[in-house]
Amino acid sequence: MSIEAVDVIAAPAAAIVALDPVRSRMLAELRQPRSAAELARTLDLPRQRVHYHVRQLEAQGLVTGAGERRWGGLTERLLVATAEAYLVSPEVLGTAAARPSPGERPDRLSAAYLVAVAGRVVQEVGALLRRSRETGRPAETFTLDAEITFRSPAARADFARDLAEAVTEVIARHHVEGPGGRRHRLVVGAYPMPPHTPADDGQDREQSHD
């Protein structure tokens, strides 16, 4: 059975179910098929309570059946999460969700603006993932994730200027006006990494789906 790497939760009811501490632990345990009895032993919970939570997860499409197996003369139903990991889309909050303000000149040095743009990325790419699963066509995305260390704030400012100029030049070279093309959104952001962030292997990570 194919399990998605990431699923973006867009429905408020599904978000409420997934964010429950017990159910979120179940989703983590169900990255591999397990029975309700196994979940009860692993989480040290009564089986009746496990069955209740499993029904809630299944009702929201977060858990599904994964076949059966014989165990001790009994037939157990196996369960599995529909994804290895989940992310809640800002659209769950409705009009309270952070979003870039339309029609205003953005403050590109504002952390709040970066958060709003990142939230919009989650919402739009989440919708793209859902359409991809419905149609069977791959999502057309590209990701470049890199780390850089600056010697000083001035060096960071120089980098930001150079990057903006380079990106603007590349956009001008590839952008086309008029009908017939497909619009894409390009987002470039930079921020100081939080303390104690695990280090990567020193290689840029690039993902591409066409």
Side-chain angles (χ1 to χ4, degrees), residues 25-88:
R25 290 177 62 198
M26 286 185 174
L27 289 174
E29 292 293 335
L30 288 173
R31 291 188 179 108
Q32 299 294 328
R34 295 177 183 270
S35 68
E38 285 180 297
L39 280 178
R41 289 193 297 270
T42 300
L43 302 178
D44 193 23
L45 293 173
R47 285 182 64 171
Q48 185 175 3
R49 187 179 176 191
V50 167
H51 282 297
Y52 168 77
H53 288 304
V54 165
R55 285 195 298 271
Q56 300 298 311
L57 291 167
E58 283 192 284
Q60 297 302 326
L62 301 171
V63 165
T64 188
E68 297 179 342
R69 72 177 175 195
R70 298 285 297 177
W71 180 261
L74 301 175
T75 300
E76 291 186 322
R77 179 175 178 244
L78 298 178
L79 305 158
V80 69
T82 54
E84 294 181 5
Y86 297 87
L87 191 64
V88 177

CSV table of all heavy atoms in Angstrom, one decimal, residues 25-88:
chain,number,residue,atom,x,y,z
A,25,ARG,N,0.1,10.7,18.6
A,25,ARG,CA,1.0,9.6,18.9
A,25,ARG,C,0.6,8.4,18.1
A,25,ARG,O,1.5,7.6,17.6
A,25,ARG,CB,1.0,9.3,20.4
A,25,ARG,CG,1.6,10.3,21.3
A,25,ARG,CD,1.5,9.9,22.7
A,25,ARG,NE,2.2,8.7,23.0
A,25,ARG,CZ,2.0,8.0,24.1
A,25,ARG,NH1,1.1,8.4,25.0
A,25,ARG,NH2,2.6,6.8,24.3
A,26,MET,N,-0.7,8.1,17.9
A,26,MET,CA,-1.1,7.0,17.1
A,26,MET,C,-0.7,7.2,15.7
A,26,MET,O,-0.2,6.2,15.0
A,26,MET,CB,-2.6,6.9,17.2
A,26,MET,CG,-3.2,6.4,18.5
A,26,MET,SD,-5.0,6.2,18.4
A,26,MET,CE,-5.3,5.4,20.0
A,27,LEU,N,-0.8,8.4,15.1
A,27,LEU,CA,-0.4,8.6,13.7
A,27,LEU,C,1.1,8.3,13.6
A,27,LEU,O,1.5,7.7,12.6
A,27,LEU,CB,-0.7,10.0,13.3
A,27,LEU,CG,-2.2,10.4,13.1
A,27,LEU,CD1,-2.3,11.8,12.9
A,27,LEU,CD2,-2.8,9.5,12.0
A,28,ALA,N,1.9,8.7,14.6
A,28,ALA,CA,3.3,8.4,14.5
A,28,ALA,C,3.6,6.9,14.6
A,28,ALA,O,4.5,6.4,13.8
A,28,ALA,CB,4.1,9.1,15.7
A,29,GLU,N,2.9,6.2,15.4
A,29,GLU,CA,3.1,4.7,15.5
A,29,GLU,C,2.6,4.0,14.3
A,29,GLU,O,3.1,2.9,13.9
A,29,GLU,CB,2.3,4.2,16.8
A,29,GLU,CG,2.9,4.6,18.1
A,29,GLU,CD,4.3,4.0,18.3
A,29,GLU,OE1,4.6,3.0,17.8
A,29,GLU,OE2,5.0,4.7,19.1
A,30,LEU,N,1.6,4.6,13.6
A,30,LEU,CA,1.0,3.9,12.5
A,30,LEU,C,1.7,4.2,11.1
A,30,LEU,O,1.1,4.0,10.1
A,30,LEU,CB,-0.5,4.3,12.4
A,30,LEU,CG,-1.4,3.6,13.5
A,30,LEU,CD1,-2.8,4.1,13.4
A,30,LEU,CD2,-1.4,2.1,13.3
A,31,ARG,N,2.9,4.7,11.2
A,31,ARG,CA,3.7,4.8,10.0
A,31,ARG,C,3.9,3.4,9.4
A,31,ARG,O,4.1,3.3,8.2
A,31,ARG,CB,5.0,5.5,10.2
A,31,ARG,CG,4.9,6.9,10.6
A,31,ARG,CD,6.3,7.6,10.7
A,31,ARG,NE,6.2,9.0,11.0
A,31,ARG,CZ,6.6,9.5,12.2
A,31,ARG,NH1,7.0,8.7,13.1
A,31,ARG,NH2,6.5,10.8,12.4
A,32,GLN,N,3.8,2.4,10.2
A,32,GLN,CA,3.9,1.0,9.8
A,32,GLN,C,2.6,0.3,10.2
A,32,GLN,O,2.0,0.7,11.3
A,32,GLN,CB,5.0,0.3,10.5
A,32,GLN,CG,6.4,0.8,10.1
A,32,GLN,CD,6.7,0.7,8.6
A,32,GLN,OE1,6.3,-0.3,8.0
A,32,GLN,NE2,7.5,1.6,8.1
A,33,PRO,N,2.0,-0.6,9.5
A,33,PRO,CA,0.8,-1.2,9.8
A,33,PRO,C,0.8,-1.9,11.2
A,33,PRO,O,1.8,-2.6,11.5
A,33,PRO,CB,0.6,-2.3,8.7
A,33,PRO,CG,1.4,-1.7,7.5
A,33,PRO,CD,2.6,-1.1,8.1
A,34,ARG,N,-0.2,-1.6,12.0
A,34,ARG,CA,-0.3,-2.2,13.3
A,34,ARG,C,-1.8,-2.5,13.6
A,34,ARG,O,-2.7,-1.9,13.0
A,34,ARG,CB,0.2,-1.3,14.4
A,34,ARG,CG,1.7,-1.0,14.3
A,34,ARG,CD,2.1,0.0,15.4
A,34,ARG,NE,3.5,0.4,15.4
A,34,ARG,CZ,4.5,-0.2,16.0
A,34,ARG,NH1,4.2,-1.3,16.8
A,34,ARG,NH2,5.7,0.2,15.9
A,35,SER,N,-2.0,-3.4,14.5
A,35,SER,CA,-3.4,-3.7,15.0
A,35,SER,C,-3.7,-2.8,16.1
A,35,SER,O,-2.8,-2.2,16.8
A,35,SER,CB,-3.5,-5.2,15.4
A,35,SER,OG,-2.7,-5.4,16.5
A,36,ALA,N,-5.0,-2.7,16.4
A,36,ALA,CA,-5.4,-2.0,17.6
A,36,ALA,C,-4.8,-2.5,18.9
A,36,ALA,O,-4.5,-1.8,19.8
A,36,ALA,CB,-7.0,-2.0,17.7
A,37,ALA,N,-4.7,-3.8,18.9
A,37,ALA,CA,-4.1,-4.5,20.1
A,37,ALA,C,-2.6,-4.0,20.3
A,37,ALA,O,-2.2,-3.7,21.4
A,37,ALA,CB,-4.2,-6.0,20.0
A,38,GLU,N,-1.9,-3.9,19.2
A,38,GLU,CA,-0.5,-3.5,19.3
A,38,GLU,C,-0.5,-2.0,19.8
A,38,GLU,O,0.4,-1.6,20.6
A,38,GLU,CB,0.2,-3.6,17.9
A,38,GLU,CG,0.5,-5.0,17.5
A,38,GLU,CD,1.2,-5.0,16.2
A,38,GLU,OE1,0.5,-4.7,15.2
A,38,GLU,OE2,2.4,-5.4,16.1
A,39,LEU,N,-1.4,-1.2,19.2
A,39,LEU,CA,-1.4,0.2,19.7
A,39,LEU,C,-1.7,0.3,21.1
A,39,LEU,O,-1.1,1.1,21.8
A,39,LEU,CB,-2.5,1.0,18.9
A,39,LEU,CG,-2.1,1.4,17.5
A,39,LEU,CD1,-3.3,2.1,16.8
A,39,LEU,CD2,-0.9,2.4,17.5
A,40,ALA,N,-2.6,-0.5,21.6
A,40,ALA,CA,-3.0,-0.5,23.0
A,40,ALA,C,-1.8,-0.8,23.9
A,40,ALA,O,-1.5,-0.2,24.9
A,40,ALA,CB,-4.1,-1.4,23.3
A,41,ARG,N,-1.0,-1.8,23.5
A,41,ARG,CA,0.2,-2.2,24.3
A,41,ARG,C,1.3,-1.1,24.2
A,41,ARG,O,1.9,-0.8,25.2
A,41,ARG,CB,0.7,-3.5,23.8
A,41,ARG,CG,-0.1,-4.8,24.1
A,41,ARG,CD,0.6,-6.0,23.8
A,41,ARG,NE,1.0,-6.2,22.4
A,41,ARG,CZ,0.2,-6.8,21.5
A,41,ARG,NH1,-1.0,-7.3,21.9
A,41,ARG,NH2,0.6,-6.9,20.3
A,42,THR,N,1.5,-0.6,23.0
A,42,THR,CA,2.6,0.4,22.8
A,42,THR,C,2.3,1.7,23.6
A,42,THR,O,3.2,2.3,24.2
A,42,THR,CB,2.7,0.7,21.3
A,42,THR,OG1,3.1,-0.5,20.6
A,42,THR,CG2,3.8,1.7,21.1
A,43,LEU,N,1.0,2.1,23.5
A,43,LEU,CA,0.6,3.4,24.1
A,43,LEU,C,0.1,3.2,25.6
A,43,LEU,O,-0.2,4.2,26.2
A,43,LEU,CB,-0.4,4.1,23.3
A,43,LEU,CG,0.0,4.4,21.8
A,43,LEU,CD1,-1.2,5.0,21.1
A,43,LEU,CD2,1.2,5.3,21.8
A,44,ASP,N,0.0,2.0,26.0
A,44,ASP,CA,-0.4,1.7,27.4
A,44,ASP,C,-1.8,2.3,27.6
A,44,ASP,O,-2.1,3.0,28.6
A,44,ASP,CB,0.5,2.2,28.4
A,44,ASP,CG,0.2,1.6,29.8
A,44,ASP,OD1,-0.4,0.5,29.9
A,44,ASP,OD2,0.6,2.3,30.8
A,45,LEU,N,-2.7,1.9,26.7
A,45,LEU,CA,-4.1,2.4,26.7
A,45,LEU,C,-5.1,1.3,26.7
A,45,LEU,O,-4.8,0.2,26.1
A,45,LEU,CB,-4.4,3.4,25.5
A,45,LEU,CG,-3.7,4.7,25.5
A,45,LEU,CD1,-3.9,5.4,24.2
A,45,LEU,CD2,-4.1,5.6,26.7
A,46,PRO,N,-6.3,1.4,27.2
A,46,PRO,CA,-7.3,0.4,27.1
A,46,PRO,C,-7.7,0.2,25.6
A,46,PRO,O,-7.8,1.2,24.9
A,46,PRO,CB,-8.5,0.9,27.9
A,46,PRO,CG,-7.9,1.9,28.8
A,46,PRO,CD,-6.7,2.5,28.1
A,47,ARG,N,-8.0,-1.0,25.2
A,47,ARG,CA,-8.3,-1.2,23.8
A,47,ARG,C,-9.6,-0.5,23.4
A,47,ARG,O,-9.7,0.0,22.2
A,47,ARG,CB,-8.4,-2.7,23.5
A,47,ARG,CG,-7.1,-3.4,23.4
A,47,ARG,CD,-7.2,-4.9,23.1
A,47,ARG,NE,-7.8,-5.1,21.8
A,47,ARG,CZ,-7.8,-6.4,21.2
A,47,ARG,NH1,-7.3,-7.4,21.9
A,47,ARG,NH2,-8.3,-6.6,20.0
A,48,GLN,N,-10.5,-0.4,24.3
A,48,GLN,CA,-11.7,0.3,23.9
A,48,GLN,C,-11.5,1.8,23.6
A,48,GLN,O,-12.0,2.4,22.7
A,48,GLN,CB,-12.7,0.3,25.1
A,48,GLN,CG,-14.1,0.9,24.8
A,48,GLN,CD,-15.1,0.7,25.9
A,48,GLN,OE1,-14.7,0.2,27.0
A,48,GLN,NE2,-16.3,1.1,25.7
A,49,ARG,N,-10.5,2.4,24.4
A,49,ARG,CA,-10.2,3.8,24.1
A,49,ARG,C,-9.4,3.9,22.7
A,49,ARG,O,-9.6,4.9,22.0
A,49,ARG,CB,-9.3,4.3,25.2
A,49,ARG,CG,-9.0,5.8,25.1
A,49,ARG,CD,-8.2,6.3,26.3
A,49,ARG,NE,-7.8,7.7,26.1
A,49,ARG,CZ,-6.9,8.4,26.9
A,49,ARG,NH1,-6.3,7.7,27.8
A,49,ARG,NH2,-6.7,9.6,26.7
A,50,VAL,N,-8.6,2.9,22.5
A,50,VAL,CA,-7.8,2.9,21.2
A,50,VAL,C,-8.8,2.8,20.0
A,50,VAL,O,-8.7,3.6,19.0
A,50,VAL,CB,-6.8,1.8,21.2
A,50,VAL,CG1,-6.3,1.5,19.7
A,50,VAL,CG2,-5.7,2.0,22.1
A,51,HIS,N,-9.8,1.9,20.1
A,51,HIS,CA,-10.8,1.8,19.1
A,51,HIS,C,-11.5,3.1,18.9
A,51,HIS,O,-11.8,3.5,17.7
A,51,HIS,CB,-11.8,0.7,19.4
A,51,HIS,CG,-11.2,-0.7,19.2
A,51,HIS,ND1,-10.8,-1.2,17.9
A,51,HIS,CD2,-11.0,-1.7,20.0
A,51,HIS,CE1,-10.4,-2.4,18.0
A,51,HIS,NE2,-10.5,-2.8,19.3
A,52,TYR,N,-11.8,3.8,19.9
A,52,TYR,CA,-12.5,5.1,19.8
A,52,TYR,C,-11.7,6.1,19.0
A,52,TYR,O,-12.2,6.7,18.0
A,52,TYR,CB,-12.9,5.7,21.2
A,52,TYR,CG,-13.3,7.1,21.1
A,52,TYR,CD1,-14.6,7.4,20.7
A,52,TYR,CD2,-12.4,8.1,21.5
A,52,TYR,CE1,-15.0,8.8,20.7
A,52,TYR,CE2,-12.8,9.5,21.4
A,52,TYR,CZ,-14.1,9.8,21.0
A,52,TYR,OH,-14.5,11.1,20.9
A,53,HIS,N,-10.4,6.2,19.3
A,53,HIS,CA,-9.6,7.2,18.7
A,53,HIS,C,-9.3,6.8,17.2
A,53,HIS,O,-9.3,7.6,16.3
A,53,HIS,CB,-8.2,7.3,19.4
A,53,HIS,CG,-8.3,8.0,20.7
A,53,HIS,ND1,-8.8,9.3,20.8
A,53,HIS,CD2,-8.0,7.7,21.9
A,53,HIS,CE1,-8.7,9.7,22.0
A,53,HIS,NE2,-8.2,8.7,22.8
A,54,VAL,N,-9.2,5.5,17.0
A,54,VAL,CA,-9.0,5.0,15.6
A,54,VAL,C,-10.2,5.3,14.7
A,54,VAL,O,-10.0,5.8,13.6
A,54,VAL,CB,-8.7,3.5,15.6
A,54,VAL,CG1,-8.9,2.9,14.2
A,54,VAL,CG2,-7.4,3.1,16.1
A,55,ARG,N,-11.4,5.2,15.3
A,55,ARG,CA,-12.6,5.6,14.5
A,55,ARG,C,-12.6,7.0,14.1
A,55,ARG,O,-13.0,7.4,13.0
A,55,ARG,CB,-13.9,5.2,15.3
A,55,ARG,CG,-14.2,3.7,15.3
A,55,ARG,CD,-15.6,3.5,15.8
A,55,ARG,NE,-15.8,4.0,17.2
A,55,ARG,CZ,-15.6,3.3,18.3
A,55,ARG,NH1,-15.2,2.0,18.2
A,55,ARG,NH2,-15.9,3.8,19.5
A,56,GLN,N,-12.1,7.9,15.1
A,56,GLN,CA,-12.1,9.3,14.8
A,56,GLN,C,-11.0,9.6,13.7
A,56,GLN,O,-11.3,10.4,12.8
A,56,GLN,CB,-11.7,10.1,16.0
A,56,GLN,CG,-12.6,9.9,17.2
A,56,GLN,CD,-14.0,10.5,16.9
A,56,GLN,OE1,-14.1,11.6,16.4
A,56,GLN,NE2,-15.0,9.7,17.1
A,57,LEU,N,-9.9,8.9,13.7
A,57,LEU,CA,-8.9,9.1,12.7
A,57,LEU,C,-9.3,8.6,11.3
A,57,LEU,O,-9.1,9.2,10.3
A,57,LEU,CB,-7.6,8.4,13.1
A,57,LEU,CG,-6.8,9.0,14.3
A,57,LEU,CD1,-5.8,8.0,14.8
A,57,LEU,CD2,-6.2,10.3,13.9
A,58,GLU,N,-10.0,7.5,11.3
A,58,GLU,CA,-10.5,6.9,10.1
A,58,GLU,C,-11.6,7.8,9.5
A,58,GLU,O,-11.6,8.0,8.2
A,58,GLU,CB,-11.0,5.5,10.3
A,58,GLU,CG,-10.0,4.4,10.4
A,58,GLU,CD,-10.6,3.0,10.3
A,58,GLU,OE1,-11.2,2.6,11.3
A,58,GLU,OE2,-10.4,2.4,9.3
A,59,ALA,N,-12.4,8.4,10.3
A,59,ALA,CA,-13.5,9.2,9.8
A,59,ALA,C,-13.0,10.4,9.1
A,59,ALA,O,-13.6,11.0,8.2
A,59,ALA,CB,-14.4,9.7,10.9
A,60,GLN,N,-11.8,10.9,9.4
A,60,GLN,CA,-11.2,12.1,8.8
A,60,GLN,C,-10.1,11.7,7.7
A,60,GLN,O,-9.4,12.6,7.2
A,60,GLN,CB,-10.5,12.9,9.8
A,60,GLN,CG,-11.4,13.5,10.9
A,60,GLN,CD,-12.5,14.3,10.3
A,60,GLN,OE1,-12.3,15.0,9.3
A,60,GLN,NE2,-13.7,14.3,10.9
A,61,GLY,N,-10.1,10.4,7.4
A,61,GLY,CA,-9.2,10.0,6.3
A,61,GLY,C,-7.7,10.0,6.7
A,61,GLY,O,-6.8,10.0,5.8
A,62,LEU,N,-7.4,10.0,8.0
A,62,LEU,CA,-6.0,10.0,8.4
A,62,LEU,C,-5.4,8.6,8.6
A,62,LEU,O,-4.2,8.5,8.7
A,62,LEU,CB,-5.9,10.8,9.7
A,62,LEU,CG,-6.3,12.3,9.6
A,62,LEU,CD1,-6.4,12.9,11.0
A,62,LEU,CD2,-5.4,13.1,8.7
A,63,VAL,N,-6.3,7.7,8.8
A,63,VAL,CA,-5.9,6.3,9.0
A,63,VAL,C,-6.8,5.4,8.1
A,63,VAL,O,-8.0,5.7,7.9
A,63,VAL,CB,-6.1,5.9,10.5
A,63,VAL,CG1,-6.1,4.3,10.6
A,63,VAL,CG2,-5.0,6.5,11.3
A,64,THR,N,-6.2,4.3,7.6
A,64,THR,CA,-7.0,3.4,6.7
A,64,THR,C,-6.7,2.0,7.0
A,64,THR,O,-5.6,1.7,7.7
A,64,THR,CB,-6.8,3.8,5.3
A,64,THR,OG1,-7.7,3.0,4.4
A,64,THR,CG2,-5.3,3.4,4.9
A,65,GLY,N,-7.5,1.1,6.6
A,65,GLY,CA,-7.2,-0.3,6.8
A,65,GLY,C,-6.0,-0.8,5.9
A,65,GLY,O,-5.8,-0.3,4.8
A,66,ALA,N,-5.3,-1.7,6.5
A,66,ALA,CA,-4.1,-2.2,5.8
A,66,ALA,C,-4.1,-3.8,5.7
A,66,ALA,O,-3.0,-4.4,5.8
A,66,ALA,CB,-2.8,-1.7,6.4
A,67,GLY,N,-5.3,-4.4,5.6
A,67,GLY,CA,-5.3,-5.8,5.5
A,67,GLY,C,-5.6,-6.5,6.9
A,67,GLY,O,-5.9,-5.8,7.9
A,68,GLU,N,-5.4,-7.8,6.9
A,68,GLU,CA,-5.6,-8.6,8.1
A,68,GLU,C,-4.4,-9.5,8.3
A,68,GLU,O,-3.6,-9.8,7.4
A,68,GLU,CB,-6.9,-9.4,8.0
A,68,GLU,CG,-8.1,-8.5,7.9
A,68,GLU,CD,-9.4,-9.3,7.8
A,68,GLU,OE1,-9.3,-10.5,7.4
A,68,GLU,OE2,-10.5,-8.8,8.0
A,69,ARG,N,-4.3,-10.1,9.5
A,69,ARG,CA,-3.3,-11.1,9.8
A,69,ARG,C,-3.9,-12.0,10.9
A,69,ARG,O,-4.7,-11.6,11.7
A,69,ARG,CB,-2.0,-10.5,10.2
A,69,ARG,CG,-2.0,-9.9,11.6
A,69,ARG,CD,-0.6,-9.4,11.9
A,69,ARG,NE,-0.6,-8.7,13.2
A,69,ARG,CZ,0.4,-7.9,13.6
A,69,ARG,NH1,1.4,-7.7,12.9
A,69,ARG,NH2,0.3,-7.3,14.8
A,70,ARG,N,-3.4,-13.2,10.9
A,70,ARG,CA,-3.8,-14.2,11.9
A,70,ARG,C,-2.8,-14.1,13.1
A,70,ARG,O,-1.6,-14.0,12.9
A,70,ARG,CB,-3.7,-15.6,11.3
A,70,ARG,CG,-4.7,-15.9,10.2
A,70,ARG,CD,-6.1,-16.0,10.6
A,70,ARG,NE,-6.3,-17.2,11.5
A,70,ARG,CZ,-7.4,-17.5,12.1
A,70,ARG,NH1,-8.5,-16.7,11.9
A,70,ARG,NH2,-7.5,-18.6,12.8
A,71,TRP,N,-3.3,-14.1,14.3
A,71,TRP,CA,-2.5,-14.0,15.5
A,71,TRP,C,-3.2,-14.7,16.6
A,71,TRP,O,-4.3,-14.3,17.1
A,71,TRP,CB,-2.3,-12.5,15.8
A,71,TRP,CG,-1.5,-12.3,17.1
A,71,TRP,CD1,-1.9,-12.0,18.3
A,71,TRP,CD2,-0.1,-12.3,17.1
A,71,TRP,NE1,-0.9,-11.9,19.2
A,71,TRP,CE2,0.3,-12.0,18.5
A,71,TRP,CE3,1.0,-12.5,16.2
A,71,TRP,CZ2,1.6,-12.0,18.9
A,71,TRP,CZ3,2.3,-12.4,16.6
A,71,TRP,CH2,2.6,-12.1,18.0
A,72,GLY,N,-2.5,-15.8,17.1
A,72,GLY,CA,-3.1,-16.5,18.2
A,72,GLY,C,-4.4,-17.1,17.9
A,72,GLY,O,-5.3,-17.1,18.8
A,73,GLY,N,-4.7,-17.5,16.7
A,73,GLY,CA,-6.0,-18.1,16.4
A,73,GLY,C,-7.1,-17.0,16.1
A,73,GLY,O,-8.2,-17.4,15.8
A,74,LEU,N,-6.7,-15.8,16.2
A,74,LEU,CA,-7.6,-14.7,15.9
A,74,LEU,C,-7.2,-13.9,14.6
A,74,LEU,O,-6.0,-14.0,14.2
A,74,LEU,CB,-7.7,-13.7,17.1
A,74,LEU,CG,-8.2,-14.3,18.4
A,74,LEU,CD1,-8.1,-13.2,19.5
A,74,LEU,CD2,-9.6,-14.8,18.3
A,75,THR,N,-8.1,-13.3,14.0
A,75,THR,CA,-7.8,-12.4,12.9
A,75,THR,C,-7.9,-11.0,13.3
A,75,THR,O,-8.9,-10.5,13.8
A,75,THR,CB,-8.9,-12.7,11.7
A,75,THR,OG1,-8.8,-14.0,11.3
A,75,THR,CG2,-8.5,-11.8,10.5
A,76,GLU,N,-6.7,-10.3,13.1
A,76,GLU,CA,-6.6,-8.9,13.5
A,76,GLU,C,-6.6,-8.0,12.3
A,76,GLU,O,-6.0,-8.3,11.2
A,76,GLU,CB,-5.3,-8.7,14.3
A,76,GLU,CG,-5.2,-9.3,15.6
A,76,GLU,CD,-3.9,-8.9,16.3
A,76,GLU,OE1,-2.9,-8.7,15.7
A,76,GLU,OE2,-4.0,-8.6,17.6
A,77,ARG,N,-7.3,-6.9,12.4
A,77,ARG,CA,-7.4,-5.9,11.3
A,77,ARG,C,-6.2,-5.0,11.5
A,77,ARG,O,-5.9,-4.5,12.6
A,77,ARG,CB,-8.7,-5.1,11.4
A,77,ARG,CG,-8.8,-4.0,10.3
A,77,ARG,CD,-10.1,-3.4,10.4
A,77,ARG,NE,-10.2,-2.3,9.4
A,77,ARG,CZ,-10.4,-1.0,9.7
A,77,ARG,NH1,-10.5,-0.7,11.0
A,77,ARG,NH2,-10.5,-0.1,8.7
A,78,LEU,N,-5.4,-4.8,10.5
A,78,LEU,CA,-4.3,-3.9,10.5
A,78,LEU,C,-4.7,-2.5,10.0
A,78,LEU,O,-5.5,-2.3,9.2
A,78,LEU,CB,-3.2,-4.4,9.6
A,78,LEU,CG,-2.6,-5.8,10.0
A,78,LEU,CD1,-1.5,-6.2,9.1
A,78,LEU,CD2,-2.0,-5.7,11.5
A,79,LEU,N,-4.0,-1.5,10.7
A,79,LEU,CA,-4.3,-0.1,10.3
A,79,LEU,C,-3.0,0.6,10.0
A,79,LEU,O,-1.9,0.2,10.4
A,79,LEU,CB,-4.9,0.6,11.6
A,79,LEU,CG,-6.2,0.0,12.1
A,79,LEU,CD1,-6.3,0.4,13.6
A,79,LEU,CD2,-7.4,0.4,11.3
A,80,VAL,N,-3.1,1.6,9.2
A,80,VAL,CA,-1.9,2.4,8.8
A,80,VAL,C,-2.3,3.8,8.6
A,80,VAL,O,-3.4,4.1,8.1
A,80,VAL,CB,-1.2,1.8,7.6
A,80,VAL,CG1,-2.1,2.0,6.3
A,80,VAL,CG2,0.2,2.4,7.4
A,81,ALA,N,-1.4,4.7,8.9
A,81,ALA,CA,-1.6,6.2,8.6
A,81,ALA,C,-1.6,6.4,7.1
A,81,ALA,O,-0.9,5.7,6.4
A,81,ALA,CB,-0.6,7.0,9.4
A,82,THR,N,-2.3,7.4,6.6
A,82,THR,CA,-2.3,7.7,5.2
A,82,THR,C,-1.0,8.4,4.8
A,82,THR,O,-0.8,8.6,3.6
A,82,THR,CB,-3.5,8.5,4.9
A,82,THR,OG1,-3.6,9.6,5.7
A,82,THR,CG2,-4.8,7.6,5.1
A,83,ALA,N,-0.2,8.9,5.7
A,83,ALA,CA,1.0,9.6,5.4
A,83,ALA,C,2.0,9.4,6.5
A,83,ALA,O,1.7,9.1,7.6
A,83,ALA,CB,0.7,11.1,5.2
A,84,GLU,N,3.3,9.6,6.1
A,84,GLU,CA,4.3,9.4,7.1
A,84,GLU,C,4.4,10.6,8.1
A,84,GLU,O,4.9,10.5,9.2
A,84,GLU,CB,5.7,9.2,6.4
A,84,GLU,CG,5.8,7.9,5.7
A,84,GLU,CD,7.2,7.8,5.0
A,84,GLU,OE1,8.0,8.6,5.3
A,84,GLU,OE2,7.4,6.8,4.3
A,85,ALA,N,4.0,11.8,7.6
A,85,ALA,CA,4.0,13.0,8.4
A,85,ALA,C,2.8,13.9,7.9
A,85,ALA,O,2.4,13.8,6.8
A,85,ALA,CB,5.3,13.7,8.2
A,86,TYR,N,2.4,14.8,8.8
A,86,TYR,CA,1.3,15.7,8.5
A,86,TYR,C,1.7,17.1,8.8
A,86,TYR,O,2.5,17.4,9.7
A,86,TYR,CB,0.1,15.3,9.3
A,86,TYR,CG,-0.4,13.9,9.0
A,86,TYR,CD1,0.1,12.8,9.7
A,86,TYR,CD2,-1.4,13.7,8.0
A,86,TYR,CE1,-0.4,11.5,9.4
A,86,TYR,CE2,-1.9,12.5,7.7
A,86,TYR,CZ,-1.4,11.4,8.4
A,86,TYR,OH,-1.8,10.1,8.1
A,87,LEU,N,1.1,18.0,8.1
A,87,LEU,CA,1.2,19.5,8.3
A,87,LEU,C,-0.1,20.1,8.2
A,87,LEU,O,-0.9,19.8,7.3
A,87,LEU,CB,2.2,20.1,7.2
A,87,LEU,CG,2.7,21.5,7.5
A,87,LEU,CD1,3.6,21.6,8.7
A,87,LEU,CD2,3.5,21.9,6.2
A,88,VAL,N,-0.4,21.0,9.2
A,88,VAL,CA,-1.7,21.7,9.2
A,88,VAL,C,-1.6,23.0,8.4
A,88,VAL,O,-0.8,23.8,8.7
A,88,VAL,CB,-2.2,21.9,10.7
A,88,VAL,CG1,-3.5,22.7,10.7
A,88,VAL,CG2,-2.3,20.6,11.4
